[in-house]
Amino acid sequence: MLSIRLTRRGTHRRPFYRIVVAEKRSKRDGGFIEVLGYRDPLTNPEKLVVRLDRVDYWLKCGAQPSDTVRALIARARREAETATPEASA
């Protein structure tokens, strides 16, 4: 079974997270199938980049997002909706 979850990168006290598709049984920072985005909580404001088209593809394939990633995807969708009208105006 596949899951969409965070994997921790960065150094000691400088975390940086990737949003990845991985086998549910693999380790947190182990092998993964694809990187879907990243989250940098130390920037001000926090930087979140998510490839929503690829997230939708993996969700259709049956991948299950973790609770944290589900919230991050929802936030990315809200940000994308608010950014779209400004670009077209």
Side-chain angles (χ1 to χ4, degrees), residues 8-17 40-43:
R8 190 180 193 275
R9 309 304 274 169
T11 60
H12 181 67
R13 296 188 182 181
R14 302 283 304 165
F16 180 86
Y17 299 94
D40 189 356
L42 297 181
T43 59

Side-chain angles (χ1 to χ4, degrees), residues 9-76:
R9 309 304 274 169
T11 60
H12 181 67
R13 296 188 182 181
R14 302 283 304 165
F16 180 86
Y17 299 94
R18 285 182 179 170
I19 301 170
V20 299
V21 177
E23 186 67 32
K24 197 170 217 66
R25 293 172 285 157
S26 66
K27 297 178 182 180
R28 180 194 71 180
D29 296 334
F32 56 86
I33 299 170
E34 183 179 356
V35 176
L36 302 178
Y38 63 90
R39 173 181 176 237
D40 189 356
L42 297 181
T43 59
N44 190 9
E46 177 181 303
K47 187 163 186 166
L48 174 65
V49 175
V50 180
R51 294 173 43 204
L52 293 173
D53 59 330
R54 295 304 293 167
V55 168
D56 292 337
Y57 168 79
W58 285 108
L59 290 174
K60 287 179 186 175
C61 289
Q64 298 293 316
S66 68
D67 294 337
T68 303
V69 171
R70 186 177 291 117
L72 291 174
I73 291 169
R75 190 169 82 191

